[in-house]
Amino acid sequence: MPDPLSPSTTVRPTAEPCLIAARLAADATAIPLPLVLHPRRLDRRCASARALAMYLAHVGLGLPMSRVAIGFGRHRSTVAHACRRIEERRESAGWDRWVAALEDDARRLSPPAGAEGIVVGGAHG
C-alpha cells in the first residue's frame, strides 16, 4: 500500500488560493496537509478537512467551483457536495464562528486578484 504522505501520491495544487485554503484547513483540523490534498478520499476526518478546504477556497476566496475542482483534483460536483456539507453545519453557532474566522484568515492570506497558478496531477472523487 502506498504511503499516504508520499509526495508521489498527493495532489499538488500550485494554484495559490487553493493551497492557502488547504493549509488553513489542515492546520485547523490537525490533518497533515498531504492528506488534505490526497487524491483519494481516505478516512472521514481527511475527507471532512478537504471539504472545509474546498469550502474556504470557494466561499472564503470566491473561486469558481470549477477552479476549486481543478485545484484539488476533484470533479466540480464533489466541490458542490463539500460546500453543501459545510454550509449545513454552519447552523451551529460555534461552528459558524470557527468557519467565519477561517474565511477571514483565507482572505487575509490570499494573493492579490489576478494571481494565477498551474495545477499538477489530480483524480476525480
Side-chain angles (χ1 to χ4, degrees):
M1 178 169 165
D3 177 7
L5 296 176
S6 167
S8 64
T9 62
T10 59
V11 177
R12 292 176 293 279
T14 57
E16 193 66 22
C18 288
L19 189 55
I20 288 168
R23 284 183 179 144
L24 283 170
D27 290 346
T29 61
I31 300 293
L33 181 61
L35 297 182
V36 172
L37 298 173
H38 201 278
R40 295 184 150 230
R41 183 181 187 281
L42 303 176
D43 65 24
R44 180 179 288 197
R45 290 184 65 231
C46 294
S48 292
R50 188 175 310 111
L52 176 62
M54 290 188 281
Y55 179 87
L56 291 173
H58 175 61
V59 176
L61 298 177
L63 297 179
M65 283 190 192
S66 57
R67 182 157 174 213
V68 175
I70 292 167
F72 284 89
R74 298 300 198 274
H75 191 271
R76 186 190 173 287
S77 64
T78 303
V79 176
H81 177 73
C83 289
R84 280 191 307 272
R85 283 182 45 217
I86 299 301
E87 196 64 43
E88 287 169 2
R89 292 188 66 189
R90 291 199 73 167
E91 292 179 19
S92 165
W95 174 265
D96 184 59
R97 283 190 300 274
W98 184 68
V99 172
L102 290 173
E103 286 180 45
D104 290 343
D105 289 344
R107 288 182 195 108
R108 184 177 47 78
L109 296 170
S110 179
E116 294 294 323
I118 299 170
V119 179
V120 177
H124 294 274

